[in-house]
Amino acid sequence: MNETNEVEILLVEDNQDDLDMTLRALRKANLANRIQIVRDGAEAVDFIFCRGAHAHRKVEHGPKLVLLDLKLPKIDGMEVLKRMKGDSRTQIIPVVVLTSSKEQRDVIESYKLGVNSYIVKPVNFEGFTAAVQEMGMYWLLLNQAPKP
């Protein structure tokens, strides 16, 4: 991380294979410099809202982008999304659901809760890498986000 400990991407993923593939894709796209990884929804909420092991952080210095799996232990991704988008301090942080779920109810519910994008994880690495690269280029470089 840089000198201000700024986290550009919060990656919320419990599956080690998916985590490894996502990190490889981010590295290939030169987007892996400032990533925080959490492995369950409870840890994601603690990181985002600066509680528990993350109490030393400030909510105002949240990540620029959250990559959120839906199927998580402890607290599921929908609940993490609901809490983020329901709090004025974190509702402007872009959230991209990155999941294996193609269920329409998950897509609809995610958008109702305020997700910015919903991406179904492609099966092959090349397709996944292309999706991650485009997503990172857009959300971290092109998108003009408001200052917190």
Side-chain angles (χ1 to χ4, degrees):
M1 284 194 243
N2 67 9
E3 49 282 343
T4 62
N5 290 326
E6 180 178 296
V7 173
E8 288 193 330
I9 300 173
L10 174 63
L11 176 55
V12 187
E13 177 61 68
D14 65 316
N15 179 290
Q16 188 62 49
D17 291 337
D18 288 346
L19 178 63
D20 291 343
M21 186 167 63
T22 303
L23 289 173
R24 277 196 311 273
L26 287 166
R27 277 194 291 274
K28 190 169 181 180
N30 294 317
L31 297 169
N33 291 342
R34 294 174 289 208
I35 298 175
Q36 176 72 35
I37 299 164
V38 295
R39 304 227 177 211
D40 62 58
E43 190 179 359
V45 169
D46 282 352
F47 182 86
I48 292 161
F49 293 103
C50 306
R51 301 188 309 215
H54 304 284
H56 64 281
R57 297 184 57 258
K58 292 188 181 340
V59 174
E60 299 79 33
H61 298 125
K64 290 183 180 178
L65 175 65
V66 175
L67 302 180
L68 180 64
D69 189 15
L70 292 182
K71 298 172 184 168
L72 296 168
K74 298 184 182 176
I75 298 174
D76 70 19
M78 288 292 188
E79 183 61 27
V80 173
L81 178 61
K82 183 177 181 180
R83 291 182 190 189
M84 280 187 71
K85 295 302 183 176
D87 190 302
S88 62
R89 300 171 299 164
T90 58
Q91 67 187 14
I92 65 169
I93 298 171
V95 178
V96 174
V97 165
L98 197 56
T99 185
S100 57
S101 175
K102 295 180 183 179
E103 296 291 328
Q104 274 302 296
R105 70 177 179 272
D106 288 341
V107 176
I108 292 167
E109 185 64 19
S110 293
Y111 277 103
K112 281 183 178 178
L113 292 173
V115 78
N116 298 88
S117 185
Y118 190 104
I119 298 174
V120 177
K121 295 175 192 172
V123 176
N124 70 48
F125 181 69
E126 291 76 24
F128 185 74
T129 299
V132 167
Q133 183 170 8
E134 289 174 21
M135 173 197 55
M137 292 290 287
Y138 178 77
W139 288 110
L140 297 177
L141 301 175
L142 297 174
N143 183 54
Q144 182 63 49
K147 300 287 182 207

